Amino acid sequence: MKLKQMLSDYQLGEQPKWDGEQIITGISDSSRDIADGMIFVAIAGFEQDGHDYIPHAIEQGAALIVGERDCPEALPIPYLKVANSRQALGQLADKFYQHPSGRKHVIGITGTNGKTTTAFFLKHLLEQQGFSVSLIGTIYNEINGIQYPTPNTTPNAEKVHELIAASQDDFVVIEVSSHGLTQYRLEGVAFDYALFMNLQHDHLDYHKTMEAYFEAKAMLFDKLKPNGKAVVNTDDIWGLKLAQRLVAKGIAVITVGHQDDAVLSIKKMTNQVVTLAVSGETSALDPHMPGEHNLYDIAMAGAVIQDLSYPLADVTEQMRSFAGVPGRYEFVHLKDGVHCIIDYAHTPEAVSSILTSMRRDGAERITHIFGFRGDRDASKRDEMIAASTGQSSRVILTTDDLNGIPEEMMKQEYAAYQHKFAGMHKVDVMMDRTLAIQAAVNEAREGDWILVTGKGHEKYKTAYALPTSSDKETVLFLKSSEK
Ligand SMILES: CC(=O)N[C@H]1[C@@H](OP(=O)(O)OP(=O)(O)OC[C@H]2O[C@@H](n3ccc(=O)[nH]c3=O)[C@H](O)[C@@H]2O)O[C@H](CO)[C@@H](O)[C@@H]1O[C@H](C)C(=O)N[C@@H](C)C(=O)N[C@H](CCC(=O)O)C(=O)O
Ligand SMILES: Nc1ncnc2c1ncn2[C@@H]1O[C@H](COP(=O)(O)OP(=O)(O)OP(=O)(O)O)[C@@H](O)[C@H]1O
């Protein structure tokens, strides 16, 4: 695309002579990725200021610089000043890739918990209908059947448009984080369906208040295509508030919840089956994945499937071939009736929900191993401990990602919790995560359950005593050593 086409929506103002005919070869906010003929968008970030890298981008061959500051003096290439660089990155990428989301069926999923699980459910169910599906999310991005690692749940704006443009699949399912929304990573993306799962205590280090966190999530619903639809869990109080707001705006809303007037009314949630009624017709859906929270996730995925005119009644059968979601209620049978669950729960509600599910599955004595992420929302820690001690017999606090926080500081915080629960609940501290799991396994007797939460599918960022790199590897290593 020519430079003058890329800039047709902008006023370049007084500039040294520039060549509108120049072919633009790409766009990036990282000077490291700039090559000849590309546009560099300078972003004032949380860690660094992209404007400091303008000389580097020029050295690399940039054809245009976009930034929020005044044009640096004696710039040899044109400079476009914008009010918001992150937003401009999305708008320019959308243009460069020729509005890719407009040409695809795009489904966005937001909420504190359940995005990944629902995305996997939806992908599987759509594939069962004969569609191909791209996935952009926490565990990996999968485009045209090829999986790519990803550092973020929602990639940056340029990447999102690039991935949608590269997709030759029928559908693109995107996990939409609140960070992604407030940082304009979805700028220019238009959605056919937008799903709201729930809003729970998380990320208040970033959003400060639940109200602000909610407003961030609500931004997704401004991105629906004119005929796009919202699918909202109205059992969640924030979901109910969102649904009312969207209806008032004239947006089509598929409500999912226990209310009789919900579009998909939940009639029963029991024994791993959720019974839904749509227009008087009842269907029972079984995700074939333990955990009560997964019943909401399958109901939300089912809402899209039925709206696309595929029978809900087939979902249970179609889920039989579902392979599960890495690090979500992953079950390992250890030895003599000792069971272990690995899960990604890192909010109080998720911890509570997983423990409730385990108890319903027959767990009586549960050792729960988890830790707190350094440099992340610390205000949820009390509630996480309360959720754990409320339903487990023993807690072992261990290392999660420290994110630069000194281990000693985290250890002191854990010691304070040990002190608080002294005499009431067994709270141990073992900072080496692999040794904490080993201790629980060694001490487990027949009928015991072990729950390891927080890391799920993720690789360890810390080197531990055992030669393993994830919770699942550690558990399998210990299982094989037992033989
Ligand atoms: C705090 C935060 O959210 N940071 C995100 C943000 O980084 P940033 O733009 O502020 O980057 P920065 O490092 O300060 O750099 C500023 C600019 O300088 C540029 N630069 C830098 C160096 C250089 O040599 N040349 C250069 O041009 C960078 O490319 C960047 O454009 O934008 C980046 C691109 O979109 C994100 O990758 C990055 O996520 C970081 C890694 C992160 O950990 N974010 C977490 C909090 C997050 O976003 N999590 C959510 C999921 C949350 C959930 O669990 O629900 C997610 O979507 O992943
Ligand atoms: N509908 C739900 N309600 C509450 N908790 C849930 C729900 N679905 C999943 N969970 C819990 O939350 C954890 C994370 O689930 P999942 O990865 O699907 O959510 P996510 O929204 O993608 O999370 P993240 O934003 O952290 O990547 C699960 O391991 C489970 O413990």
Side-chain angles (χ1 to χ4, degrees):
M1 186 175 287
K2 291 179 179 171
L3 180 55
K4 66 179 181 195
Q5 290 166 309
M6 286 296 297
L7 293 182
S8 60
D9 298 330
Y10 296 93
Q11 292 295 330
L12 206 50
E14 292 278 309
Q15 288 284 332
K17 209 164 157 281
W18 62 283
D19 177 10
E21 297 298 315
Q22 175 162 14
I23 300 296
I24 293 303
T25 57
I27 172 165
S28 178
D29 68 316
S30 171
S31 61
R32 295 155 291 201
D33 296 337
I34 293 293
D36 273 348
M38 285 178 67
I39 296 176
F40 173 64
V41 181
I43 288 176
F46 292 89
E47 303 283 335
Q48 308 202 56
D49 189 346
H51 296 82
D52 295 341
Y53 295 96
I54 292 174
H56 184 219
I58 294 173
E59 239 173 73
Q60 300 272 96
L64 171 76
I65 306 291
V66 178
E68 289 171 4
R69 312 219 189 289
D70 287 337
C71 178
E73 271 178 30
L75 212 62
I77 59 169
Y79 183 91
L80 173 68
K81 186 178 172 188
V82 292
N84 184 324
S85 290
R86 291 189 196 271
Q87 195 170 20
L89 178 68
Q91 290 165 348
L92 289 166
D94 182 38
K95 192 158 212 187
F96 181 76
Y97 291 106
Q98 299 172 27
H99 313 295
S101 58
R103 292 180 265 122
K104 285 253 165 258
H105 297 293
V106 185
I107 304 176
I109 307 173
T110 200
T112 309
N113 282 311
K115 297 184 292 297
T116 304
T117 310
T118 306
F120 272 65
F121 284 167
L122 256 177
K123 183 172 189 293
H124 179 78
L125 291 171
L126 289 167
E127 284 170 351
Q128 293 289 307
Q129 302 299 344
F131 295 112
S132 58
V133 183
S134 290
L135 180 71
I136 299 178
T138 306
I139 301 186
Y140 47 69
N141 297 330
E142 185 175 328
I143 311 292
N144 307 325
I146 301 171
Q147 292 175 3
Y148 304 90
T150 172
N152 283 107
T153 293
T154 309
N156 87 358
E158 188 280 328
K159 192 76 191 165
V160 171
H161 288 285
E162 184 196 325
L163 292 172
I164 302 173
S167 167
Q168 288 159 18
D169 294 321
D170 304 308
F171 281 83
V172 180
V173 176
I174 308 179
E175 288 183 46
V176 177
S177 68
S178 53
H179 296 76
L181 285 160
T182 53
Q183 292 171 25
Y184 298 91
R185 296 184 209 158
L186 283 313
E187 181 69 26
V189 179
F191 292 86
D192 295 272
Y193 288 97
L195 279 60
F196 180 91
M197 305 299 302
N198 47 54
L199 196 76
Q200 301 170 355
H201 188 166
D202 207 0
H203 303 311
L204 294 191
D205 54 323
Y206 184 82
H207 297 290
K208 310 299 177 206
T209 64
M210 288 299 282
E211 195 63 44
Y213 183 25
F214 169 71
E215 293 302 338
K217 295 276 185 205
M219 288 167 75
L220 171 63
F221 299 83
D222 296 332
K223 298 179 182 303
L224 281 167
K225 292 177 183 173
N227 56 352
K229 292 180 185 171
V231 181
V232 180
N233 169 12
T234 42
D235 280 349
D236 182 280
I237 50 161
W238 296 97
L240 190 59
K241 178 174 164 154
L242 177 70
Q244 286 162 349
R245 182 189 288 187
L246 297 175
V247 168
K249 281 187 181 174
I251 292 171
V253 184
I254 301 169
T255 47
V256 179
H258 279 86
Q259 308 84 3
D260 282 337
D261 60 350
V263 177
L264 248 83
S265 172
I266 297 176
K267 295 296 174 199
K268 229 163 66 189
M269 253 182 163
T270 171
N271 294 337
Q272 311 302 341
V273 175
V274 57
T275 305
L276 299 173
V278 195
S279 314
E281 256 188 56
T282 302
S283 309
L285 272 53
D286 179 352
H288 291 281
M289 194 172 154
E292 283 206 353
H293 43 272
N294 292 317
L295 296 177
Y296 270 106
D297 300 346
I298 197 72
M300 294 291 285
V304 176
I305 294 298
Q306 74 86 32
D307 195 66
L308 289 166
S309 303
Y310 297 103
L312 263 187
D314 295 348
V315 164
T316 296
E317 193 48 43
Q318 289 164 352
M319 286 304 291
R320 280 188 202 284
S321 53
F322 184 66
V325 188
R328 273 69 178 167
Y329 213 111
E330 275 206 89
F331 183 93
V332 180
H333 178 245
L334 275 167
K335 56 176 184 185
D336 310 330
V338 177
H339 307 296
C340 181
I341 305 284
I342 296 154
D343 190 76
Y344 199 45
H346 48 255
T347 64
E349 292 87 346
V351 166
S352 182
S353 172
I354 197 99
L355 283 163
T356 303
S357 298
M358 288 170 71
R359 297 186 78 84
R360 297 228 169 111
D361 286 347
E364 283 174 14
R365 278 190 316 270
I366 303 172
T367 296
H368 182 196
I369 302 161
F370 72 107
F372 301 139
R373 269 189 192 186
D375 199 25
R376 290 285 188 274
D377 190 346
S379 63
K380 66 180 175 180
R381 293 177 182 169
D382 263 347
E383 291 174 58
M384 284 177 75
I385 289 265
S388 176
T389 52
Q391 296 199 73
S392 64
S393 338
R394 177 189 181 194
V395 173
I396 305 181
L397 291 172
T398 190
T399 304
D400 199 313
D401 298 341
L402 287 166
N403 292 327
I405 298 293
E407 184 180 299
E408 196 48 42
M409 211 165 134
M410 196 57 90
K411 230 169 140 177
Q412 280 172 16
E413 190 164 336
Y414 290 169
Y417 279 112
Q418 254 184 321
H419 184 70
K420 187 171 166 184
F421 284 96
M424 289 187 293
H425 197 90
K426 195 159 166 42
V427 176
D428 291 322
V429 175
M430 292 186 80
M431 295 309 280
D432 186 299
R433 194 170 176 99
T434 59
L435 296 183
I437 298 173
Q438 187 176 47
V441 171
N442 287 346
E443 289 161 31
R445 302 186 311 276
E446 191 174 346
D448 284 357
W449 290 59
I450 297 165
L451 171 64
V452 189
T453 59
K455 290 289 289 171
H457 64 287
E458 289 177 347
K459 296 271 181 216
Y460 295 151
K461 285 187 182 168
T462 309
Y464 295 118
L466 297 184
T468 52
S469 63
S470 68
D471 286 342
K472 188 166 179 190
E473 270 184 32
T474 304
V475 172
L476 292 177
F477 174 83
L478 292 167
K479 180 179 163 129
S480 66
S481 321
E482 291 268 328
K483 287 180 183 155

